[in-house]
Amino acid sequence: MKSESRLLIGAMVMLGFAASALVVIPYVQVANVAPTSGMKPYTSTELRGREQYISNGCLYCHSQQPRAASLAPDAKRGWGRASVAGDYAFDTPHLLGTMRTGPDLLNIGARQPSVQWHLGHLYQPRAYVPGSIMPSYPYLFVIKAQAEPGDVVVHLPEGNAPAGKVVVATPEAQELVSYLLSLDRTHTVREQES
Amino acid sequence: MSTSVILASAFVLSFVALLVFIWSQRHGLFSRDSTGANVIFGAEEIGRAEEPAVTSTAAHALQQQVNRASGKIAAPASASDLRTRAAADESSTPVVFFMFCAAFAWLLVATAAGLLASYKLHEPDFLTQHAWLTFGRVRTLHLNAVAYGWAPMAGLGIAMFVLPRLLGRPLLGGGFAMLGAALWNAALISGLASIAVGINDGLEWLEIPWQIDVLFVAGGLLVAVPLVLTLAKRKVEHLYVSVWYMACALFWFPVMFVVANIPGLHRGVEQATMNWWFGHNVLGLFYTPLALAAVYYFLPKVIGRPVQSYNLSLLGFWGLAFFYGQVGGHHLIGGPVPAWLITLSIVQSMMMVLPVIAFTVNQYQTLEGYLSALRYSPTLRFIGLGGLMYTASSLQGSFEALRSVNAVTHFTHYTVGHSHLGLYAFVTLVFFGAMYFIVPRVTRREWPYPRLIAAHFWLSSIGVAIYVIALCVGGWLQGEAMLDAGKPFMDSVSVTLPYLKARTVGGALMGLGHLVFATHFACMIFNLGPRRIGATLLGEAPAGAP
């Protein structure tokens, strides 16, 4: 090899092949796909909760892409049908995830619609799921001697709240839960979309 | 026209194009003539070992091993060749030293963050009061400190050292690279701080906010300036294969980084495919070529024997460039992405076996008969093991992309084990080896405590062995449990616990190795420890050369 320009042009052509396969063609094919029927854009509270989901790194342990029955028993675990591109029409950035240290969350809002469960579970996951290795998030809560008007008090299972105190959810915790509850892609998918 | 027809024709077309391309680049691909491999040596220098990482006594023993293996006594290198090389080394010293100092700092930061994240995964109530110490952020700090701190600073520092040697002249415009590296590190400090306070772009490998990414791009471009200037004024006719890898890595990375970080362009599922196009290519088209360039330079240099099948190494280069770029889609197998894309990525993942075999055969042929040199040369030991792990991690990766294997391993700790086999056991060990070679040239003294090098080697290699084996076994069991609909999800969590603890042990050993290495480096800088006479600086350099 005697010519550096031929080398670099060749190298860029190679990268161009890769970029057209993995970036350009998908952009043409799915970037502007229509939302699946029945989906609504996120509310501003839910979007702020989504920011909490990102900033606390939830996506590193939870995927948001149930797989088809031919590949994995995701549906049997109650995680929902295999997702399609239209399910993510409102998702920027995408949060598909790569790990299932914890369960898939694309339909957690349908599977567990209780605000109190989610708040308590964020405060101390092991109070609800023995053996869970999810971190607890005490910094999303305030411990008070007494609840004040307007406070959202978390009702924890016996023995998990600090003695004589109440656990109050911060706005961040409430927003995060409202995002989790919005995760519901159980509406049916038309044949041509699947 | 159906997608499969488009896919098949695109594939055939590009494959033919690749073959024609390689042919046009290099007539006589399989000829035995490979004078190009000799350009890293001076006239008559083949057969002469260069290993600055050892004491002069050990260097003598190494040379004897090399003489025995090659069956002849090597002639001393010519004075003019040594002078050229000494001038090349001297020209790159400031920028290499700066980048290595940064690399050491980021290595320690990344180790601390990684260890904490690993520990938290089996002790989830440890240090939970502060948002910046939560698992999700510490883990991300670890990844970014490795991905944008340790790996590029070490890899680019090595490239800056090797380029002037390979181009036969002093480095031009080293000051630009220095400024670039400073900008780069400033960007990384702000990037990590923003992740710690919870501001991030939400994409794996691309967490640092795009506003800060602008600084990375500026820094990266400045680092590439000396490459371009020195290439333009080079004194050698033939560009050695290491130059290909380094030059292309330096051009590939900025393009990928810019495309991936354009704000507001990528959306939904397309953003996911782009995410893994970047996430996998930053490994395959940035760290891997930088590390392979180091293997192709230092391995033959240390034992004084040219690469045995030089043409094969060129095949390996173009194979990597073509196939690796398209493998990223295997991160989305089973996901909501077009089926043709997954198939393409699986096919190209398997095709990666070709360049990997080309590299492996080459490494084997070059080292054949010279294995005893491993005992005497720390550089060779780190790089030899690292090269072997390139083969291991690439083959593992290829098979991991198969649907049947992927169904089990996807979404599990197996992937994390695999990534550490690649980025640590391969890339990082190779960088360690190259740094043991380079630092004595930069600081102009030899490593004061040879035993610390041995301790570092064993701590790192045993540590990463425990790490990778534990996570691959644990991850496989986790995946099997998850596929069994009869088992509750929590079974897939509890089965991994002993392996996660083993991973912390392995990680702690690796971390101890890094402390040893950093301490040793500090001894070099601050002139501590015994100072031996007769350091092996540039072999028997005659008067006039340092």
Side-chain angles (χ1 to χ4, degrees):
Chain A
M1 168 66 61
K2 296 189 175 71
S3 158
E4 55 270 39
S5 45
R6 269 203 297 175
L7 168 71
L8 292 173
I9 290 168
M12 286 305 153
V13 170
M14 299 292 171
L15 185 63
F17 275 135
S20 54
L22 269 72
V23 182
V24 180
I25 302 179
Y27 188 86
V28 174
Q29 244 186 327
V30 291
N32 294 306
V33 70
T36 40
S37 50
M39 261 177 65
K40 291 191 295 287
Y42 297 108
T43 66
S44 57
T45 313
E46 287 161 3
L47 280 177
R48 282 198 300 279
R50 202 166 189 269
E51 287 303 315
Q52 289 296 324
Y53 186 91
I54 292 169
S55 87
N56 289 298
C58 306
L59 67 147
Y60 303 113
C61 289
H62 296 283
S63 61
Q64 292 192 13
Q65 42 168 325
R67 292 191 281 184
S70 57
L71 205 60
D74 291 5
K76 288 189 182 148
R77 295 197 185 279
W79 295 349
R81 61 168 169 80
S83 60
V84 296
D87 291 335
Y88 305 93
F90 301 117
D91 280 18
T92 306
H94 84 91
L95 299 173
L96 289 178
T98 47
M99 289 287 281
R100 284 181 177 170
T101 309
D104 191 276
L105 294 183
L106 191 64
N107 292 296
I108 185 65
R111 188 155 84 239
Q112 178 48 275
S114 158
V115 173
Q116 274 295 329
W117 187 93
H118 279 293
L119 286 174
H121 183 255
L122 285 170
Y123 180 76
Q124 180 46 275
R126 277 153 295 287
Y128 299 79
V129 185
S132 165
I133 57 170
M134 177 165 141
S136 46
Y137 293 90
Y139 60 84
L140 292 176
F141 298 87
V142 184
I143 312 287
K144 289 183 175 178
Q146 239 173 353
E148 288 160 55
D151 278 354
V152 175
V153 177
V154 185
H155 306 293
L156 290 153
E158 203 55 38
N160 283 287
K165 305 269 175 96
V166 292
V167 177
V168 174
T170 59
E172 289 79 21
Q174 296 173 45
E175 286 159 6
L176 178 53
V177 170
S178 81
Y179 169 64
L180 292 174
L181 294 190
S182 79
L183 287 174
D184 178 355
R185 308 287 197 276
T186 48
H187 39 262
T188 49
V189 177
R190 292 189 304 274
E191 269 310 300
Q192 64 269 33
E193 284 175 341
S194 58
Chain B
M1 203 167 20
S2 72
T3 21
S4 56
V5 176
I6 300 176
L7 181 65
S9 50
F11 185 70
V12 170
L13 199 69
S14 53
F15 194 72
V16 171
L18 175 71
L19 289 180
V20 173
F21 185 75
I22 295 178
W23 185 253
S24 73
Q25 294 289 329
R26 176 93 196 172
H27 297 286
L29 181 68
F30 297 101
S31 81
R32 300 290 296 174
D33 166 53
S34 56
T35 44
N38 299 347
V39 300
I40 64 170
F41 299 100
E44 306 296 320
E45 206 194 359
I46 291 171
R48 176 144 296 273
E50 184 183 353
E51 170 55 308
V54 293
T55 62
S56 39
T57 342
H60 186 65
L62 172 66
Q63 184 61 54
Q64 281 182 327
Q65 295 296 328
V66 169
N67 288 347
R68 192 177 310 155
S70 64
K72 57 176 192 245
I73 311 285
S78 80
S80 77
D81 283 337
L82 283 180
R83 261 198 301 276
T84 311
R85 198 171 303 148
D89 287 2
E90 199 177 339
S91 68
S92 60
T93 290
V95 61
V96 172
F97 182 69
F98 180 67
M99 285 179 170
F100 278 6
C101 287
F104 271 102
W106 294 122
L107 178 66
L108 295 181
V109 169
T111 307
L115 255 182
L116 180 59
S118 173
Y119 186 73
K120 278 166 150 305
L121 209 50
H122 51 86
E123 304 297 330
D125 285 314
F126 178 71
L127 281 183
T128 50
Q129 281 301 331
H130 303 283
W132 76 277
L133 287 174
T134 193
F135 173 82
R137 293 195 194 171
V138 174
R139 170 220 172 276
T140 310
L141 291 174
H142 165 70
L143 184 138
N144 281 276
V146 173
Y148 299 106
W150 156 250
M153 280 299 117
L156 294 175
I158 293 165
M160 288 296 136
F161 176 82
V162 173
L163 277 172
R165 279 181 164 221
L166 289 175
L167 300 177
R169 60 154 305 129
L171 190 70
L172 281 173
F176 290 105
M178 193 81 123
L179 181 64
L183 271 182
W184 182 283
N185 282 294
L188 184 56
I189 292 169
S190 13
L192 294 185
S194 86
I195 290 169
V197 299
I199 303 168
N200 87 60
D201 280 353
L203 297 177
E204 263 183 89
W205 290 91
L206 293 164
E207 283 96 350
I208 296 178
W210 65 265
Q211 293 87 343
I212 298 175
D213 292 333
V214 177
L215 267 182
F216 277 109
V217 174
L221 287 177
L222 284 170
V223 171
V225 169
L227 166 78
V228 176
L229 292 180
T230 317
L231 258 181
K233 294 262 163 87
R234 68 192 148 100
K235 292 274 167 56
V236 293
E237 179 78 354
H238 176 85
L239 289 177
Y240 187 64
V241 64
S242 292
V243 181
W244 302 24
Y245 278 115
M246 287 170 174
C248 290
L250 275 165
F251 275 80
W252 277 326
F253 179 77
V255 174
M256 295 188 300
F257 193 72
V258 168
V259 171
N261 278 299
I262 297 174
L265 174 66
H266 306 288
R267 264 196 300 265
V269 169
E270 178 270 341
Q271 196 177 31
T273 63
M274 180 285 292
N275 196 172
W276 290 112
W277 165 79
F278 177 83
H280 215 87
N281 282 354
V282 75
L283 299 165
L285 298 182
F286 189 50
Y287 311 133
T288 300
L290 285 178
L292 288 179
V295 177
Y296 272 118
Y297 181 75
F298 290 106
L299 193 133
K301 199 80 190 78
V302 168
I303 60 174
R305 185 190 205 196
V307 165
Q308 290 301 291
S309 310
Y310 192 63
N311 292 332
L312 212 50
S313 72
L314 307 186
L315 177 74
F317 174 82
W318 290 112
L320 178 103
F322 182 71
F323 298 124
Y324 215 130
Q326 302 168 28
V327 305
H330 66 223
H331 283 265
L332 294 161
I333 296 175
V337 290
W340 64 264
L341 190 147
I342 302 291
T343 310
L344 175 74
S345 285
I346 296 176
V347 170
Q348 306 299 50
S349 298
M350 286 316 286
M351 295 301 274
M352 267 303 291
V353 171
L354 285 180
V356 170
I357 297 286
F359 169 83
T360 311
V361 168
N362 228 334
Q363 197 191 14
Y364 171 76
Q365 286 185 341
T366 308
L367 269 179
E368 197 186 4
Y370 284 69
L371 284 176
S372 56
L374 284 171
R375 285 227 310 279
Y376 297 90
S377 162
T379 302
L380 200 58
R381 224 181 298 165
F382 275 102
I383 290 189
L385 181 62
L388 203 59
M389 291 302 118
Y390 172 61
T391 310
S393 70
S394 299
L395 292 182
Q396 186 191 28
S398 291
F399 285 98
E400 220 175 322
L402 291 178
R403 240 173 253 272
S404 51
V405 180
N406 193 275
V408 180
T409 61
H410 198 36
F411 297 131
T412 73
H413 299 298
Y414 188 96
T415 317
V416 183
H418 168 65
S419 68
H420 284 76
L421 185 59
L423 201 43
Y424 192 91
F426 160 45
V427 172
T428 297
L429 287 192
V430 167
F431 287 174
F432 284 159
M435 288 167 92
Y436 275 115
F437 185 104
I438 295 170
V439 171
R441 290 280 185 255
V442 167
T443 59
R444 315 255 168 136
R445 60 173 307 212
E446 57 182 69
W447 292 100
Y449 303 105
R451 283 193 178 172
L452 288 187
I453 303 183
H456 174 207
F457 177 77
W458 290 112
L459 283 168
S460 277
S461 44
I462 294 173
V464 75
I466 296 175
Y467 187 113
V468 171
I469 293 169
L471 282 196
C472 286
V473 174
W476 189 270
L477 295 175
Q478 180 193 9
E480 295 263 279
M482 236 185 297
L483 283 185
D484 185 347
K487 286 184 178 167
F489 178 80
M490 275 311 292
D491 280 15
S492 77
V493 175
S494 50
V495 73
T496 60
L497 276 178
Y499 301 97
L500 293 179
K501 288 174 185 162
R503 185 256 296 265
T504 302
V505 173
L509 291 179
M510 288 147 73
L512 209 54
H514 302 160
L515 280 181
V516 169
F517 187 29
T519 310
H520 208 177
F521 181 64
C523 290
M524 289 286 262
I525 305 178
F526 298 114
N527 240 336
L528 305 172
R531 194 185 181 102
R532 290 185 189 81
I533 309 295
T536 55
L537 297 180
L538 278 181
E540 281 89 336

